[in-house]
Amino acid sequence: YIFGFINKVAREVGKTHPAKWLAALAYSRYAYPPRREPLEPNVSIMLCLQTRRIYHPESVANDRRVLSAWTRESVERPKFVWLYYCYPTLWAARQGWRPYPGFFAHSIVEQFAQFHRSGVRGFFIEPSYLAHSQRSPLLDQLELYITYHLAADPAFDGNRAIAEFFERYYGPAAAPMRALYESMEATYADPANHRGEVAQTETQAWTMLGTEERMREYGRLLLQARAAVRDADPVYAQRVDLFDRGVYRWMRAGREDFLELQALRG
């Protein structure tokens, strides 16, 4: 139904403006190419992909199938991707609680390799949301750094750049800050911490992901990072402090709010 309408418009535009393009989404129930009639050649397509849902094997597999289907549909058709970096924060912001951050920089490296192989030309990103129409760059900082480099250069070594990011950004605190990030990233990516659910819930965030034991370990690594930069260039101490205030303490406050609500519910 959707692509049939797009084709009707595209055919008329092709008559009056033969050098122009229509841009369309491949989204939701019409994520896959149409089967009843081929899409007109003057339509570019933007695939809406759940790239941050790396903990959900079915979503990962479906994104790959969608990308493969459009690659087979037409090699020449201009293809773009709409990337939902806004989850899990969008669910939480709408409901008034704080989520466990969805760090996933290493997964982006493989995803962009797939995009380049499939001829994807560009992207649009919805970044992380907070409540009350606010944003936090800290929840996407490394992810966006890697994304833009990989988009610009197919030969860019993303995994090496992740290691260099911590060395250059945190200086003497690189080792504990990288261990902290990668521990959080691995926790988020593990399907066992999500029980097969697609959307992160407040209960899941603070009983399965941000557990008391993990939060203690994150705090311990931050103490190590603070000690490492004590006598170094002040800029490194500022960056460790920024992560502490903007991510760790933000998470801790979210967990404390949840536990308080649980007690009241009880």
Side-chain angles (χ1 to χ4, degrees):
Y1 182 80
I2 297 291
F3 288 123
F5 170 75
I6 290 170
N7 271 349
K8 289 178 181 178
V9 178
R11 284 191 284 269
E12 296 304 315
V13 170
K15 295 174 185 176
T16 57
H17 298 78
K20 301 299 181 182
W21 290 83
L22 270 73
L25 293 182
Y27 175 73
S28 187
R29 292 177 182 269
Y30 51 99
Y32 285 88
R35 289 178 291 184
R36 197 169 296 177
E37 61 179 76
L39 196 58
E40 290 293 316
N42 59 337
V43 178
S44 72
I45 200 76
M46 178 172 274
L47 319 180
C48 300
L49 303 178
Q50 299 289 346
T51 45
R52 207 163 194 158
R53 204 180 285 173
I54 56 171
Y55 55 83
H56 194 254
E58 292 87 350
S59 293
V60 173
N62 190 64
D63 275 1
R64 288 176 177 166
R65 286 194 296 268
V66 169
L67 186 60
S68 296
W70 282 103
T71 304
R72 291 192 304 271
E73 186 268 346
S74 172
V75 175
E76 296 80 15
R77 187 181 308 285
K79 290 180 283 293
F80 304 85
V81 287
W82 182 307
L83 305 177
Y84 290 109
Y85 285 16
C86 53
Y87 297 107
T89 59
L90 182 55
W91 294 316
R94 286 175 174 172
Q95 298 169 22
W97 50 273
R98 298 184 184 189
Y100 186 93
F103 293 148
F104 77 124
H106 288 91
S107 298
I108 294 172
V109 178
E110 173 55 28
Q111 290 175 9
F112 267 79
Q114 295 174 29
F115 297 158
H116 282 295
R117 288 194 296 268
S118 298
V120 172
R121 300 188 185 184
F123 63 88
F124 174 85
I125 289 179
E126 278 191 79
S128 292
Y129 296 98
L130 300 181
H132 313 299
S133 302
Q134 294 182 322
R135 299 285 177 93
S136 174
L138 296 174
L139 298 178
D140 299 316
Q141 183 181 26
L142 182 53
E143 284 71 20
L144 292 179
Y145 174 75
I146 295 299
T147 294
Y148 281 99
H149 274 297
L150 290 169
D153 181 6
F156 183 74
D157 189 338
N159 288 315
R160 179 180 176 184
I162 291 171
E164 289 179 347
F165 169 85
F166 288 98
E167 293 165 6
R168 296 178 179 182
Y169 191 74
Y170 290 111
M177 291 305 295
R178 182 178 177 182
L180 172 56
Y181 177 91
E182 291 184 344
S183 176
M184 294 177 66
E185 181 184 33
T187 297
Y188 175 74
D190 188 349
N193 296 326
H194 297 265
R195 297 180 299 192
E197 296 176 5
V198 172
Q200 187 181 132
T201 65
E202 187 178 16
T203 300
Q204 184 188 72
W206 305 118
T207 62
M208 300 192 69
L209 292 160
T211 62
E212 181 179 355
E213 181 180 0
R214 288 194 181 107
M215 293 300 289
R216 277 201 306 268
E217 175 62 12
Y218 301 158
R220 185 186 67 79
L221 288 168
L222 276 168
L223 285 175
Q224 287 184 15
R226 285 188 178 279
V229 297
R230 191 169 292 136
D231 299 319
D233 188 322
V235 71
Y236 298 126
Q238 292 169 6
R239 291 168 180 171
V240 170
D241 185 62
L242 187 61
F243 190 96
D244 184 9
R245 290 185 293 114
V247 179
Y248 175 69
R249 282 191 246 173
W250 179 83
M251 292 170 63
R252 196 171 64 187
R255 176 175 165 77
E256 290 168 357
D257 287 347
F258 168 75
L259 293 175
E260 183 180 345
L261 280 174
Q262 285 294 84
L264 291 170
R265 289 166 182 152

